[in-house]
Amino acid sequence: MTDDIFEDAEFETLAVRAGQVRTNEGEQSEPIFPTSSYVFKNAAQAAARFKGDEPGNIYSRFTNPTVRTFEQRLAALEGGESCVATASGMSAILATCMALLKAGDHVVCSRAVFGTTVVLFNNYLMKFGIEVDFVDLTDLDGWQQAIRTNTKLLFVETPSNPLTQLVDIQALAEIAHNRNCLLVVDNCFCTPALQQPLKLGADVVIHSATKYLDGQGRCVGGAVVGDAERVGKDVYGFLRTAGPSMSPFNAWVFLKGLETLKLRMHAHSDNAQALAEWLEEQPQVEKVYYPGLASHPQHDLSKRQQSRAGGLLSFVLKGGQAAAWKLIDATQMVSITANLGDTKTTVTHPATTTHGRLTDEQRADAGISDGLVRIAVGLESITDLKADLTRGLETL
Ligand SMILES: *Cc1c(COP(=O)(O)O)cnc(C)c1O
């Protein structure tokens, strides 16, 4: 199929077809190209490729057909002009910052982002003269006030992890653009199957492909999606030079993940919704955080901005850390691991793992109480999931 055919294609079609270029072998499934370099027909062709006069493959740090297919498919799903695949989600964030920022620039970032993203900003980008301030995700006035004349970029995750807070992407994009800033959204938790930030006005979308894009806990990877100038030229230019590139094998795994992304995200959401509603009825549970619950303070925004509420939820147990650890240790099926976005359900105690390095005060500010448990709901039967958690709840 040529690209023209996809102009009006629906998400489901793009997810299985976009970006595929069949070779002369007529393969049905996309091939993996494990080659570091490419052979030219003659010296003149080599010169033309290097000069950029002729399109085509040169070297797999920056041109690989399998990686390109993944990039084109994800770009189509997010509704972006360009996509650059990277070795991990963190290198996607690094590549974006290296390409779009310079010394003296200022970034405003939500406090509730992935912990390693905070470390990247505070310990590394600051070393090179890029300043960062952190604000509350939901506080639009706070974002307004934090923007300075040298602010270039606003960075968010929505929904947040583990408390599932949201920001109105459209409203934040308007704030960003009124002040000549770019809005970067890490779309890890919703994926384009549930939320398309570029269509709501965001400028750049970041992915940790490690999570739901793979969806089966196999490979580490990332991606940056956006317009042809900033992403297709600037971010690509950094990747080509610095080399945090995605391997062709990983690109193939993610490509196959994209084909079932929507089905999986809907199934994750169905399970998480059922589990959240059930947890809300349990006497041992003080509070449940899930955007799909009517009790969530941003339930209406989540219905407007996301097609479904996603697979991530958290809840507070009445007995603090002792109760949380008892519940976790009494489970026999769910995996005790900090990763998420897997077919297998995972459970985490944020206060002593992902947020364990924060001071007591920082943790309290972030709303991470000792009784908080996070569940990334997988695709097992909801009956078996409830039974596994019941083992834990009964010990309390
Ligand atoms: C995991 C994660 C990252 C980092 O991705 P890696 O693939 O582990 O480098 C970035 N953002 C969010 C929201 C994540 O959950």
Side-chain angles (χ1 to χ4, degrees):
M1 287 176 113
T2 64
D3 283 349
D4 310 345
I5 289 173
F6 293 128
E7 213 147 274
D8 300 316
E10 304 274 349
F11 189 94
E12 290 82 349
T13 307
L14 295 172
V16 298
R17 295 274 181 192
Q20 181 169 20
V21 183
R22 283 212 175 87
T23 74
N24 289 336
E25 302 294 343
E27 69 280 353
Q28 159 76 333
S29 172
E30 297 79 354
I32 308 176
F33 284 91
T35 179
S36 42
S37 72
Y38 302 83
V39 177
F40 309 111
K41 281 197 208 106
N42 48 44
Q45 186 182 49
R49 290 267 175 94
F50 271 84
K51 210 163 157 227
D53 288 347
E54 179 189 303
N57 300 316
I58 299 175
Y59 185 62
S60 279
R61 187 186 333 112
F62 53 96
T63 48
N64 181 278
T66 315
V67 176
R68 193 177 308 125
T69 302
F70 166 73
E71 290 171 335
Q72 291 183 353
R73 193 166 293 179
L74 183 58
L77 295 181
E78 285 285 6
E81 289 171 354
S82 288
C83 170
V84 172
T86 56
S88 66
M90 288 319 301
S91 57
I93 300 173
L94 176 68
T96 302
C97 292
M98 294 300 274
L100 304 181
L101 299 172
K102 61 179 188 321
D105 286 346
H106 176 246
V107 172
V108 185
C109 181
S110 149
R111 221 168 258 131
V113 292
F114 188 61
T116 314
T117 303
V118 176
V119 177
L120 177 67
F121 281 130
N122 277 339
N123 295 15
Y124 296 98
L125 293 173
M126 277 206 190
K127 262 197 345 189
F128 297 95
I130 293 164
E131 291 181 293
V132 185
D133 277 311
F134 295 91
V135 297
D136 277 344
L137 176 66
T138 59
D139 177 10
L140 291 176
D141 287 341
W143 284 97
Q144 285 271 24
Q145 282 159 22
I147 296 174
R148 308 187 208 148
T149 49
N150 60 335
T151 306
K152 289 284 153 58
L153 194 147
L154 312 185
F155 190 99
V156 290
E157 285 168 28
T158 179
S160 70
N161 171 27
L163 296 180
T164 72
Q165 288 181 315
L166 274 61
V167 71
D168 186 330
I169 295 174
Q170 212 159 3
L172 193 59
E174 212 163 286
I175 290 172
H177 297 155
N178 282 340
R179 308 283 294 273
N180 276 326
C181 301
L182 300 174
L183 176 61
V184 179
V185 177
D186 184 333
N187 201 25
C188 176
F189 301 117
C190 275
T191 83
L194 305 186
Q195 167 176 283
Q196 292 166 308
L198 299 176
K199 293 187 179 164
L200 297 168
D203 301 286
V204 176
V205 161
I206 301 281
H207 275 286
S208 168
T210 317
K211 313 295 166 50
Y212 290 104
L213 301 192
D214 173 3
Q216 289 152 81
R218 300 165 295 192
C219 292
V220 174
V224 185
V225 191
D227 64 89
E229 184 67 21
R230 284 186 205 100
V231 174
K233 218 168 121 239
D234 297 344
V235 176
Y236 177 70
F238 174 78
L239 178 105
R240 174 182 178 133
T241 308
S245 319
M246 180 180 282
S247 85
F249 176 78
N250 288 3
W252 184 82
V253 171
F254 297 134
L255 188 59
K256 291 288 134 185
L258 291 180
E259 295 184 4
T260 56
L261 182 65
K262 189 166 180 178
L263 292 172
R264 287 185 288 104
M265 292 313 291
H266 282 208
H268 281 294
S269 301
D270 287 343
N271 261 0
Q273 182 74 39
L275 198 67
E277 287 171 9
W278 177 79
L279 283 165
E280 245 185 354
E281 291 164 3
Q282 305 308 309
Q284 302 91 333
V285 174
E286 193 175 291
K287 187 173 173 53
V288 182
Y289 298 95
Y290 185 64
L293 292 175
S295 61
H296 191 284
Q298 295 168 300
H299 182 57
D300 288 341
L301 172 61
S302 96
K303 282 200 289 193
R304 247 187 300 136
Q305 184 160 284
Q306 305 175 198
S307 60
R308 302 293 303 273
L312 201 79
L313 64 81
S314 61
F315 58 99
V316 180
L317 286 166
K318 283 174 183 160
Q321 178 182 326
W325 279 26
K326 244 174 129 176
L327 174 120
I328 291 170
D329 291 347
T331 59
Q332 292 174 11
M333 179 178 76
V334 301
S335 312
I336 307 172
T337 171
N339 198 26
L340 62 99
D342 198 323
T343 49
K344 297 179 175 71
T345 297
T346 68
V347 63
T348 318
H349 183 239
T352 52
T353 59
T354 52
H355 294 70
R357 280 179 299 172
L358 301 183
T359 63
D360 290 350
E361 198 189 330
Q362 285 171 326
R363 228 178 356 259
D365 279 351
I368 310 296
S369 61
D370 290 342
L372 186 75
V373 175
R374 185 200 79 188
I375 297 195
V377 185
L379 302 185
E380 302 95 338
S381 134
I382 185 66
T383 311
D384 296 332
L385 273 175
K386 286 180 190 168
D388 203 34
L389 291 175
T390 298
R391 283 185 191 106
L393 288 172
E394 279 174 349
T395 65
L396 305 180

